[in-house]
Amino acid sequence: MSDAREDAPPSIDPMVDFESAFDDSPFKLSDYRIEDFVTLTLFWALILVVFTQFFSRYVLGSSIGWTEEIARYLLIGVGFLGSVMAARNGSHIMVEFFYHYMPEWQARLLERLVGLVSLGFYIVMAWIAYQLASRTNSLMVSVDLPKSIIYFTVCAAFVLMALRTIQRLYLKYRDRTDVV
């Protein structure tokens, strides 16, 4: 007589499921674009500035004044330029649950609508960021640089998100197969 119950789920090695979550495709430099490298550079600059802040405060006992403000601005740049990467890859957060229960034509129509609404949002936000950057004349508190640099960076990120969304929509619907 066997000890295994017939109604028990089959035992699956948990490592198999864990390893399936990782992509084993080889590294290809051609998969990355200029915004990836700019974001990576800003991220490493952020790491260095935060480390400098930590080192000066807790090891030297006297913090460097400009590190906190520059770290904040670098984090803004990393966040918005990272959003350009998400727009290119189509990996912004969305609810995919409904797409699975819709007919194919309806899911495709909703996907187009979401892409167009996102595009409109990026364009409007780029315009607002540009207007704000144009009107900002003040300098950063701890460094003598214009604060408008931050707003122009955000504006550029929204413009790039809009361009990457247009590119994604074009490529996606150029190669589509309409089998409805």
Side-chain angles (χ1 to χ4, degrees):
M1 188 171 226
S2 173
D3 289 337
R5 294 184 359 207
E6 289 182 22
D7 60 341
S11 63
I12 299 174
D13 182 15
M15 286 308 292
V16 171
D17 190 42
F18 177 75
E19 290 171 358
S20 68
F22 296 99
D23 186 17
D24 290 336
S25 60
F27 174 80
K28 292 187 290 187
L29 191 61
S30 62
D31 289 342
Y32 298 95
R33 302 292 181 261
I34 187 70
E35 62 265 17
D36 299 331
F37 297 112
V38 171
T39 304
L40 183 65
T41 303
L42 283 179
F43 183 70
W44 276 103
L46 174 63
I47 289 171
L48 290 174
V49 167
V50 170
F51 176 76
T52 303
Q53 181 182 24
F54 173 83
F55 184 79
S56 68
R57 179 175 292 166
Y58 295 108
V59 175
L60 301 178
S62 176
S63 64
I64 301 172
W66 57 267
T67 55
E68 186 174 339
E69 183 179 18
I70 297 302
R72 184 180 322 123
Y73 294 146
L74 287 171
L75 185 61
I76 291 169
V78 167
F80 279 98
L81 291 174
S83 292
V84 177
M85 295 178 351
R88 184 188 77 234
N89 296 328
S91 59
H92 274 125
I93 296 174
M94 65 179 184
V95 180
E96 294 180 19
F97 175 77
F98 298 110
Y99 288 103
H100 297 293
Y101 296 102
M102 292 180 176
E104 185 181 338
W105 68 270
Q106 199 173 21
R108 199 169 49 242
L109 180 67
L110 184 61
E111 191 177 13
R112 288 177 184 167
L113 181 64
V114 167
L116 291 174
V117 168
S118 296
L119 178 63
F121 175 77
Y122 299 147
I123 292 170
V124 168
M125 292 307 296
W127 177 250
I128 291 172
Y130 176 76
Q131 292 293 319
L132 184 60
S134 300
R135 294 178 183 160
T136 302
N137 298 322
S138 62
L139 296 175
M140 295 179 190
V141 175
S142 58
V143 182
D144 287 335
L145 291 172
K147 216 181 248 186
S148 61
I149 291 173
I150 305 306
Y151 300 121
F152 279 122
T153 302
V154 171
C155 176
F158 276 119
V159 168
L160 289 172
M161 281 187 263
L163 292 174
R164 289 297 189 185
T165 301
I166 291 169
Q167 179 186 30
R168 183 168 178 77
L169 289 171
Y170 172 75
L171 291 174
K172 187 169 188 120
Y173 298 112
R174 180 190 68 177
D175 298 332
R176 74 175 193 273
T177 56
D178 282 332
V179 184
V180 180

